[in-house]
C-alpha cells in the first residue's frame, strides 16, 4: 500500500524537487504573512542583528526548507528503493513476489514529534519560557508547526529506510538463486545506501547552519545522530545480509572443491563452474580454490566507501561554508 506522500507526488505532474521548491516558497511567504499580522515583521526589520543572526527568522527559514525537503527526500528514497529492487529482480537475485518489509505505521512519526520539545529544551533550557503568553506569537507558532511537520517526516523516513534496508538484507540472505561469481549483483545494495546517505546529509546540512549560534550545538548533535543512524542502516543492513550470504556460499563452494580434490567426481556438478566439470583437472581445481578463497566477502569497494564518507561530510562543509560566508559579510559590511 502506498503512503499519502507517494500518492501526492504521483498525482502531481512535476519532478519532486520542483514540488519541494514550491512548498518551501509557500511556507516562507506564509511565515512573512504571519509575522506581518502579528506585528513581528517590523521587529525583525529593526533588529540590530542581520536576519541570519536573528534566531526566529533563521529558524523559520530553515524549518520551512526542511519541512518542504523531507517529503521530497521520502519520495526519492522510495524511488531509489524501487529502482534497486527492480535491478535485483532483473539480475535474478530475487523473485517478483518477494514481499516488501515496509511498515508505514504512524508510530514512527509520533515518536519523531517528541524531538520538537526536546530540541526546544536543548536550545532554551528553560521550560517556563513556553508558559509565557508573549511567547506564543506568530513566529514561534510557525516555528513549532513547521518543526512538527519536519520531525514527523524525519521519524517516518527513518522507519522506512530501516524497513527497506531489512528487506534488502533478507533478499541477500534468502534468495534461492545466487551465483558466487556474479558479485556485481549486489551493487544495488550499495547504491541504495549511497542514495540514502545523500538524502540524510542534505537534511543535516540545513540544520547545521544553526551552529552559528552556539546554543544549537546539542540540537544539531541530536539530529546528527538520527541522520547518521539512517545513513548507516541504509548501507550496513543490506551489505551485512550480502556478507553473510557470500560467506555461506564460499564455504559451500570450498567444501565442493575439497571433495573433488579428494576424488569425488560428482562434487563439482553443483558448483558455480559445474558446466566445466568434465574437463577440470587438478591444477584447475587448485587454481579455482585459490580464487574462491580470495573473493571479497563484503560487496563494497573503496570508491563506494569514499563517496559514502564524502556524503556524510556534507554537513561539516555546510557549517564551515556558512561560518566563512558570515565572516566575509561581516568584513565587507562591518565598520
Amino acid at each position: 500500500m502506498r503512503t499519502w506522500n507517494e500518492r501526492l507526488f504521483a498525482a502531481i505532474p512535476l519532478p519532486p524537487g520542483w514540488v519541494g521548491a514550491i512548498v518551501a516558497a509557500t511556507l516562507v511567504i506564509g511565515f512573512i504573512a504571519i509575522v506581518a499580522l502579528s506585528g513581528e515583521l517590523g521587529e525583525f526589520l529593526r533588529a540590530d542583528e542581520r536576519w541570519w543572526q536573528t534566531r526566529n527568522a533563521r529558524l523559520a527559514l530553515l524549518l520551512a526548507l526542511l519541512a518542504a525537503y523531507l517529503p521530497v527526500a521520502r519520495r526519492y528514497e522510495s524511488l531509489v528503493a524501487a529502482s534497486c529492487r527492480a535491478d535485483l529482480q532483473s539480475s535474478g537475485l530475487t523473485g517478483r513476489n518477494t514481499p516488501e518489509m515496509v511498515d508505514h505505521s504512524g508510530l514512527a512519526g509520533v515518536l519523531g514529534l517528541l524531538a520538537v520539545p526536546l530540541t526546544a529544551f536543548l536550545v532554551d533550557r528553560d521550560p517556563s519560557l513556553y508558559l509565557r503568553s508573549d511567547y506564543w506569537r506568530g513566529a514561534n507558532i510557525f516555528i513549532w508547526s513547521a518543526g512538527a511537520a519536519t520531525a514527523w517526516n524525519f521519524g517516518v523516513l527513518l522507519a522506512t529506510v530501516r524497513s527497506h534496508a531489512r528487506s534488502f538484507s533478507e533478499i541477500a540472505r534468502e534468495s534461492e538463486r545466487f551465483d558466487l561469481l556474479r558479485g556485481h549483483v549486489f551493487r544495488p545494495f550499495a547504491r541504495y545506501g549511497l542514495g540514502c546517505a545523500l538524502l540524510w546529509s542534505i537534511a543535516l546540512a540545513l540544520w547545521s547552519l544553526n551552529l552559528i549560534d552556539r546554543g544549537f550545538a546539542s540540537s544539531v548533535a541530536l539530529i546528527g545522530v538520527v541522520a547518521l543512524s539512517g545513513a548507516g542502516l541504509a548501507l550496513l543492513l543490506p551489505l551485512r545480509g550480502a556478507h553473510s550470504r557470500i560467506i555461506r556460499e564460499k564455504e559451500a563452494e570450498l567444501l565442493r572443491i575439497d571433495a573433488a580434490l579428494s576424488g569425488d567426481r560428482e562434487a563439482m556438478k553443483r558448483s558455480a563452474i559445474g558446466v566445466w566439470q568434465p574437463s577440470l583437472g587438478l591444477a584447475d581445481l587448485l587454481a579455482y580454490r585459490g580464487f574462491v578463497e580470495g573473493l571479497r566477502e563484503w560487496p563494497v569497494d573503496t570508491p563506494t566507501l569514499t563517496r559514502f564518507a564524502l556524503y556524510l561530510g556534507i554537513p561539516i562543509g555546510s557549517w564551515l561554508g556558512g561560518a566563512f560566508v558570515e565572516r566575509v559579510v561581516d568584513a565587507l559590511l562591518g565598520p
Side-chain angles (χ1 to χ4, degrees):
M1 181 181 296
R2 295 194 303 176
T3 65
W4 67 266
N5 194 74
E6 293 171 339
R7 292 195 297 270
L8 173 65
F9 281 99
I12 299 176
L14 288 174
W18 281 107
V19 176
I22 293 171
V23 173
T26 302
L27 289 174
V28 171
I29 293 172
F31 170 73
I32 295 173
I34 289 172
V35 295
L37 291 173
S38 67
E40 295 169 275
L41 181 59
E43 297 175 14
F44 290 151
L45 295 177
R46 291 193 302 269
D48 295 333
E49 297 177 322
R50 300 179 181 90
W51 71 266
W52 66 86
Q53 295 173 319
T54 303
R55 192 180 80 168
N56 279 359
R58 184 185 68 250
L59 273 178
L61 175 61
L62 292 180
L63 285 172
L65 293 175
L66 280 169
Y69 167 74
L70 283 171
V72 175
R74 288 177 55 192
R75 176 59 173 168
Y76 277 121
E77 186 277 338
S78 66
L79 291 175
V80 170
S83 173
C84 292
R85 182 177 288 271
D87 288 346
L88 292 172
Q89 289 175 348
S90 65
S91 67
L93 191 61
T94 180
R96 295 187 179 275
N97 295 323
T98 302
E100 190 172 355
M101 300 168 54
V102 180
D103 180 15
H104 290 298
S105 169
L107 177 61
V110 172
L111 293 176
L113 290 175
L114 297 177
V116 179
L118 178 58
T119 301
F121 176 76
L122 290 174
V123 174
D124 292 318
R125 307 294 177 93
D126 182 11
S128 65
L129 176 67
Y130 314 122
L131 301 178
R132 291 165 42 183
S133 59
D134 61 339
Y135 177 83
W136 296 104
R137 300 174 66 190
N140 283 326
I141 291 174
F142 178 89
I143 287 170
W144 278 75
S145 301
T150 299
W152 172 278
N153 281 297
F154 235 89
V156 173
L157 178 60
L158 181 62
T160 305
V161 167
R162 179 177 178 271
S163 294
H164 279 142
R166 289 180 60 195
S167 176
F168 286 135
S169 181
E170 191 70 15
I171 288 171
R173 292 176 188 273
E174 305 300 334
S175 176
E176 294 181 2
R177 298 181 58 185
F178 181 84
D179 187 344
L180 188 63
L181 304 184
R182 297 172 62 222
H184 64 279
V185 298
F186 289 119
R187 289 176 184 169
F189 295 157
R191 181 156 57 87
Y192 175 73
L194 288 174
C196 289
L198 180 59
L199 295 174
W200 284 112
S201 294
I202 292 173
L204 181 56
L206 289 172
W207 190 248
S208 295
L209 293 173
N210 279 311
L211 286 175
I212 62 173
D213 183 342
R214 294 183 179 179
F216 281 82
S218 298
S219 71
V220 172
L222 173 65
I223 302 303
V225 169
V226 176
L228 290 175
S229 298
L233 286 173
L235 184 68
L236 294 179
L237 277 183
L239 293 183
R240 190 173 67 177
H243 171 67
S244 65
R245 181 63 179 271
I246 291 173
I247 289 178
R248 194 166 75 227
E249 295 295 334
K250 279 184 65 173
E251 290 175 348
E253 189 75 343
L254 289 172
L255 287 175
R256 285 190 283 266
I257 297 172
D258 290 339
L261 290 171
S262 298
D264 185 351
R265 296 180 180 275
E266 304 297 320
M268 294 303 291
K269 286 186 176 180
R270 299 183 301 276
S271 167
I273 59 170
V275 66
W276 304 101
Q277 187 266 342
S279 61
L280 291 176
L282 178 61
D284 300 316
L285 289 172
L286 291 173
Y288 180 58
R289 194 183 197 287
F291 171 78
V292 172
E293 285 185 325
L295 285 175
R296 181 180 294 161
E297 295 180 352
W298 286 95
V300 61
D301 53 20
T302 301
T304 298
L305 293 176
T306 302
R307 288 177 62 189
F308 185 75
L310 289 174
Y311 288 163
L312 295 184
I314 289 176
I316 299 175
S318 170
W319 173 61
L320 293 176
F324 176 75
V325 169
E326 181 186 8
R327 287 181 177 274
V328 170
V329 172
D330 285 340
L332 292 175
L333 302 180

